Amino acid sequence: MNSSPLAPAGVPTEQRFQTLFEQAPFSAQLLSVDGHTLQVNRAWKDLWGTYEGDPLLEFVLSGYDMLADPQLEAKGVTPYLRRAFAGEAVRIPAIRYDPAEIGKPGLARWVEATARPIITPDGRVAEVLLIHEDVTERLTAERQLRESEAQFRTIADAMPQMVWSTLPDGQADYHNQQAYEFTGMPAATLDGERWAEILHPDERRATWDRWRHSLETGEPYETECRLQHRSGEYRWVLVRALPVRNEAGDVVRWMGTCTDIHEHKRMRDELLASNRRKDDFLAMLAHELRNPLAPISTAAHLLQTSASDPAKVQHSAQVIERQVRHMTELVDDLLDVSRVTRGLVELDRAPVEMKGVVADAIEQVRPLVESRGHVLSTRMPPGGVHVMGDRPRLVQVVSNLLNNAAKYTPPNGALSVSLSVDEAVEIRVADNGTGIEPELLPHVFELFTQGARTPDRAQGGLGLGLALVKSLVELHAGQVSVESAGQGQGAAFTVRLPLLPVDEALTPSSGGPMSLPAASRKLRILVVDDNQDAADTLGLLLESLGHEVQLAHDSARALELVGHDAFDACVLDIGLPGLDGYALARRLRAQPSNADVTLIALTGYGSAADRKKGDDAGFDHYRVKPADLGELARLLQAGRGGSGERAAG
């Protein structure tokens, strides 16, 4: 007989079995073939909380039949036991046992069991060994894990981002609902490495290289790339992932998100492009405003040194006049853009004959066209063509289009303007110039947009003209469009305006420049401006019309002059030292002797708020520099009651 380490040599086998059974570290219960408990070990007692003399233990050992227990039957244990008594080793799933059910104190627990039949040499089942395992903690932990995972999935599915996770080697094993809604792919099809299939081909290599680097180093992962949307479009997303580490510091999982930033990125790119256009615009503005200053300065110097030479004086005056006109047009464009974009432009609507509008526009740009040697052709329909609109603004629209065509057409090029009528009035301005690049074509009517500047474009520009054209045409309930075959293929702009029926058309006014007639009556006029040159030149002009003029360069001097002399009219600047023009006007209006004096504001401040302040201060008329001198002469002659307007612009 072989010796056993569990008992000294010579110890009977039965005794060795009893020692092993009693000292086993697991709960063991020996059952007879009829289901009665024959024996339990110490671990069984520890598990079930029994001790010697315990009624429960006595009950189990005194005829308790497990196969006949209705509670075990209800819990589903009995079928497993019957299979064990039939000779099959079975694993009994976890069952919840509550001591309270049998009148015992203690907490409920979950127990799993294994039933193994003890077979005799002749193949009979002699006994069944039932081994129990308390799995309460394990099942509790598993339940908590499941609840945690369910909570995580609920939160992840509620997030606006795509949430995903991978194993330590980078193999994806989870994507939330947002990921599948974004991609349009069936659930669970993004696991493994299939997510790489939705990456934009241009970003796959860089994205994978960056991901492998994070997997190798454990560094957080972040990149921007394009993923294929369910619509088929590739959209930009921000991808971020962090490693999840165990207590030893090893990466056990990666958790990541994908945030759709497509619209944000598009807006950011548009803002950057807009900022670049603004920077270009400011550079052009500085260039365009400095250009006229050089000839003005030279002409002024020539006037000082050649005052006795009439020809040089005349030439210098013409240079100054042209350059001031050019600067005025630049400033007017800027102010027009501000007024139009803020909706402050009010049209003076009347029936307008469009053939005359086109003719006036051509006259405005003729010097530029001739200086560049362009051939300008026109085509007009017979009879009158009328629209309802603001004549000066319509002239501005056509002249801006012609000016644009001339600037973008190399010397000796061809320009054309045509007027036609169908259901609407159509003005078409075309050229054979540099054309418009396809990427620029959708943006030509946006502020500060301009094609490439070339050395021969001496006239320059601010990139405002076409934006003004679009706004003014839309104010007239019309549309403007552009077409170009591309670089070097020329361009054509088409304006369509509602046609005014013949029976509603009236003879339009000439719209020509206002003359400066001699004064029908001599007026005593006070001119107040802190710019001495401006005051002096305006005073000389008014005197040349037959008026008597006094000058003041601040409000204190103006009040002093008004205290000694009576005036028919006062032309006041607003930005005066000390009392500004508004305060001066209120002081003058407060004096009974000035009740009939015509007050005219002549200033560089032209906003709607400034005009409202002028009206409140008592001005009869509010005009922005540089003034239309013919209109100023008319307002002075009309006096306070002659125009029927207050603070008009």
Side-chain angles (χ1 to χ4, degrees):
M1 181 179 293
N2 295 329
S3 62
S4 168
L6 299 177
V11 175
T13 301
E14 179 67 22
Q15 185 176 349
R16 290 202 300 271
F17 170 78
Q18 290 297 328
T19 302
L20 174 63
F21 180 82
E22 182 66 22
Q23 296 181 3
F26 47 80
S27 168
Q29 184 176 3
L30 192 62
L31 303 176
S32 66
V33 292
D34 56 1
H36 291 83
T37 300
L38 300 175
Q39 188 176 359
V40 296
N41 68 351
R42 185 181 303 277
W44 187 96
K45 299 173 186 177
D46 293 339
L47 174 63
W48 299 105
T50 61
Y51 52 90
E52 296 296 335
D54 189 299
L56 173 61
L57 181 58
E58 294 177 0
F59 172 71
V60 169
L61 297 176
S62 60
Y64 167 68
D65 185 355
M66 293 189 69
L67 295 176
D69 188 339
Q71 292 189 12
L72 293 180
E73 183 74 35
K75 294 177 184 292
V77 174
T78 303
Y80 290 98
L81 291 176
R82 294 190 186 280
R83 288 166 54 191
F85 282 104
E88 179 184 352
V90 295
R91 179 75 175 175
I92 303 174
I95 302 297
R96 184 177 184 274
Y97 291 95
D98 189 350
E101 295 176 357
I102 55 175
K104 290 282 292 180
L107 298 176
R109 61 173 62 89
W110 288 87
V111 177
E112 287 183 354
T114 300
R116 294 186 177 277
I118 300 175
I119 309 297
T120 63
D122 59 1
R124 292 182 302 103
V125 176
E127 296 168 339
V128 171
L129 180 63
L130 193 60
I131 300 172
H132 306 92
E133 180 184 359
D134 188 341
V135 295
T136 303
E137 291 185 2
R138 176 170 62 83
L139 293 183
T140 300
E142 290 176 354
R143 185 187 73 250
Q144 291 174 345
L145 179 60
R146 288 193 300 272
E147 291 174 352
S148 177
E149 288 180 348
Q151 185 179 33
F152 163 75
R153 291 175 184 271
T154 300
I155 295 173
D157 286 339
M159 292 178 66
Q161 288 93 354
M162 293 171 268
V163 180
W164 50 273
S165 71
T166 78
L167 300 175
D169 61 0
Q171 292 292 309
D173 63 351
Y174 169 75
H175 290 82
N176 71 342
Q177 188 62 32
Q178 290 287 355
Y180 293 106
E181 290 181 2
F182 179 92
T183 61
M185 297 181 69
T189 56
L190 287 173
D191 292 347
E193 294 186 356
R194 286 205 60 193
W195 65 271
E197 298 175 9
I198 63 174
L199 276 170
H200 192 284
D202 293 348
E203 278 114 42
R204 284 179 186 171
R205 183 177 183 85
T207 303
W208 269 108
D209 289 346
R210 180 70 184 86
W211 177 230
R212 289 192 184 95
H213 175 76
S214 291
L215 292 176
E216 293 170 0
T217 64
E219 295 178 3
Y221 177 72
E222 180 171 333
T223 190
E224 291 182 5
C225 61
R226 284 171 289 180
L227 298 182
Q228 190 170 32
H229 187 255
R230 62 178 178 272
S231 63
E233 173 191 25
Y234 281 96
R235 296 180 64 85
W236 284 99
V237 297
L238 171 63
V239 187
R240 287 175 172 164
L242 292 174
V244 179
R245 300 179 184 273
N246 59 18
E247 294 180 356
D250 299 322
V251 176
V252 296
R253 177 167 294 280
W254 287 85
M255 295 299 304
T257 60
C258 296
T259 304
D260 189 339
I261 59 170
H262 193 76
E263 293 304 317
H264 170 78
K265 190 175 180 67
R266 181 184 61 80
M267 292 177 62
R268 181 182 63 188
D269 291 344
E270 288 181 358
L271 286 174
L272 289 174
S274 176
N275 284 335
R276 285 194 297 270
R277 290 197 299 270
K278 288 179 181 178
D279 290 342
D280 292 342
F281 161 73
L282 291 175
M284 285 187 291
L285 176 61
H287 176 268
E288 297 299 328
L289 291 178
R290 287 192 186 105
N291 271 350
L293 295 179
I296 290 174
S297 175
T298 302
H301 182 73
L302 189 60
L303 286 174
Q304 290 178 336
T305 59
S306 306
S308 59
D309 187 336
K312 291 184 178 180
V313 170
Q314 178 68 15
H315 173 73
S316 299
Q318 291 173 349
V319 169
I320 292 173
E321 182 181 5
R322 281 196 303 271
Q323 298 305 321
V324 168
R325 187 185 309 119
H326 179 56
M327 293 186 71
T328 300
E329 290 171 355
L330 294 176
V331 174
D332 284 346
D333 277 352
L334 287 170
L335 295 177
D336 272 348
V337 168
S338 175
R339 287 192 290 264
V340 169
T341 55
R342 289 185 294 154
L344 300 180
V345 169
E346 294 184 5
L347 301 181
D348 185 9
R349 296 180 184 274
V352 178
E353 205 288 307
M354 289 304 296
K355 292 167 72 173
V357 167
V358 173
D360 283 358
I362 291 174
E363 185 61 30
Q364 285 190 16
V365 301
R366 189 176 299 280
L368 174 60
V369 171
E370 292 178 349
S371 69
R372 297 175 66 79
H374 295 322
V375 176
L376 175 60
S377 61
T378 62
R379 189 182 65 195
M380 302 290 168
V385 179
H386 293 82
V387 302
M388 182 63 74
D390 186 317
R391 192 180 196 282
R393 291 298 190 179
L394 291 172
V395 172
Q396 183 180 10
V397 166
V398 180
S399 64
N400 277 3
L401 292 177
L402 282 168
N403 189 62
N404 186 74
K407 287 192 297 184
Y408 283 94
T409 301
N412 305 314
L415 313 179
S416 68
V417 56
S418 62
L419 181 65
S420 60
V421 180
D422 44 32
E423 296 87 0
V425 177
E426 183 174 289
I427 306 102
R428 181 179 175 85
V429 177
D431 62 72
N432 65 346
T434 58
I436 303 173
E437 300 88 343
E439 61 271 15
L440 184 63
L441 202 60
H443 306 287
V444 294
F445 294 109
E446 296 175 6
L447 282 175
F448 314 135
T449 299
Q450 196 172 44
R453 295 171 63 87
T454 55
D456 65 324
R457 285 182 53 219
Q459 292 298 316
L462 299 178
L464 304 176
L466 294 180
L468 281 173
V469 166
K470 182 176 185 294
S471 298
L472 291 174
V473 168
E474 290 176 348
L475 285 175
H476 283 84
Q479 303 89 36
V480 60
S481 60
V482 60
E483 52 191 278
S484 174
Q487 189 73 29
Q489 302 297 311
F493 290 82
T494 302
V495 173
R496 289 181 63 85
L497 298 169
L499 176 66
L500 185 65
V502 176
D503 57 353
E504 298 181 25
L506 302 175
T507 303
S509 61
S510 65
M514 185 175 291
S515 60
L516 298 178
S520 59
R521 60 189 180 96
K522 184 177 182 178
L523 302 175
R524 288 180 55 78
I525 302 173
L526 174 63
V527 175
V528 186
D529 196 322
D530 62 335
N531 186 318
Q532 186 171 344
D533 289 340
D536 291 346
T537 54
L538 181 58
L540 289 172
L541 176 68
L542 295 176
E543 286 177 349
S544 71
L545 297 178
H547 300 300
E548 182 181 340
V549 180
Q550 291 269 23
L551 303 179
H553 301 306
D554 57 54
S555 296
R557 176 59 178 163
L559 291 171
E560 181 182 343
L561 291 173
V562 170
H564 291 88
D565 294 312
F567 292 93
D568 299 300
C570 297
V571 181
L572 311 180
D573 186 22
I574 296 299
L576 297 171
L579 288 177
D580 64 18
Y582 301 122
L584 177 57
R586 285 192 290 269
R587 291 279 291 271
L588 294 176
R589 281 282 179 243
Q591 299 175 4
S593 59
N594 295 320
D596 296 326
V597 173
T598 301
L599 294 185
I600 300 176
L602 187 58
T603 176
Y605 298 104
S607 71
D610 295 326
R611 295 173 187 273
K612 177 64 168 58
K613 290 168 66 177
D615 188 46
D616 295 341
F619 282 105
D620 297 291
H621 311 288
Y622 197 103
R623 293 295 181 266
V624 178
K625 296 178 180 179
D628 183 324
L629 298 177
E631 183 188 23
L632 179 62
R634 179 182 65 82
L635 295 176
L636 289 169
Q637 287 292 335
R640 290 208 69 195
S643 68
E645 63 170 325
R646 287 287 302 275

